[in-house]
């Protein structure tokens, strides 16, 4: 079972990007989290959404600039990122876990997909 992240690219400071995560139907009842890993840094959780879409969490570095949503039709999960900064440059990945909680611990997520690169130029 694998998820697929897409939508990354090169954007200038202050720009926006919308990332998408294709979620297999077998994971419809899983929460989905977005993570990122910048060069030389550990992977960090930035946002997650429950299977129903009713619970959402955002990490402090992106709070107020990022919105997570879940498409009821196909279960895909989107991450709208606004006011991007050079420090947002990273490979962004989505992953599935039974629960969405504020800790967003990498090791608790069971299924992962390949990431998509986001580069923010200054």
């Amino acid at each position: 079972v694998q998820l697929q992240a897409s939508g990354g690219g090169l954007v200038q400071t202050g720009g926006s990007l919308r990332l998408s995560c294709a979620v297999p139907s077998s994971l419809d009842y899983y929460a989905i989290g977005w993570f990122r890993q910048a060069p030389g840094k550990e992977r960090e959780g930035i946002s997650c959404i429950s299977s129903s879409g009713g619970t959402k969490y955002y990490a402090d570095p992106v709070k107020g600039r990022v919105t997570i949503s879940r498409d009821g039709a196909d279960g895909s999960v989107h991450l709208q990122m606004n006011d991007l900064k050079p420090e947002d440059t990273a490979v962004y990945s989505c992953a599935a876990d039974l629960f969405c909680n504020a800790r967003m611990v990498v090791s608790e997520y069971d299924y992962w997909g390949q990431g998509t690169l986001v580069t923010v130029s200054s």
Side-chain angles (χ1 to χ4, degrees):
V1 178
Q2 193 168 30
L3 299 85
Q4 182 65 52
S6 63
L10 174 64
V11 64
Q12 291 184 332
T13 297
S16 298
L17 280 175
R18 185 174 186 254
L19 305 185
S20 294
C21 177
V23 181
S25 58
S26 59
L27 300 180
D28 278 351
Y29 296 100
Y30 278 69
I32 301 297
W34 279 99
F35 297 80
R36 69 183 182 185
Q37 187 167 21
K41 295 188 177 181
E42 292 188 355
R43 183 176 286 175
E44 63 174 346
I46 58 173
S47 184
C48 67
I49 187 168
S50 62
S51 58
S52 68
T55 299
K56 303 174 185 180
Y57 288 103
Y58 299 97
D60 287 343
V62 301
K63 199 171 291 183
R65 301 188 294 121
V66 165
T67 303
I68 193 168
S69 61
R70 192 157 192 161
D71 189 322
D74 63 8
S76 58
V77 174
H78 307 284
L79 192 71
Q80 177 67 42
M81 303 192 297
N82 301 321
D83 190 23
L84 285 163
K85 305 174 182 181
E87 52 264 42
D88 294 318
T89 294
V91 174
Y92 286 70
S93 304
C94 54
D97 185 22
L98 288 176
F99 305 104
C100 167
N101 61 60
R103 296 181 302 119
M104 291 178 275
V105 177
V106 171
S107 60
E108 293 181 356
Y109 279 73
D110 301 313
Y111 303 99
W112 290 81
Q114 291 184 328
T116 185
L117 177 63
V118 172
T119 303
V120 185
S121 63
S122 57

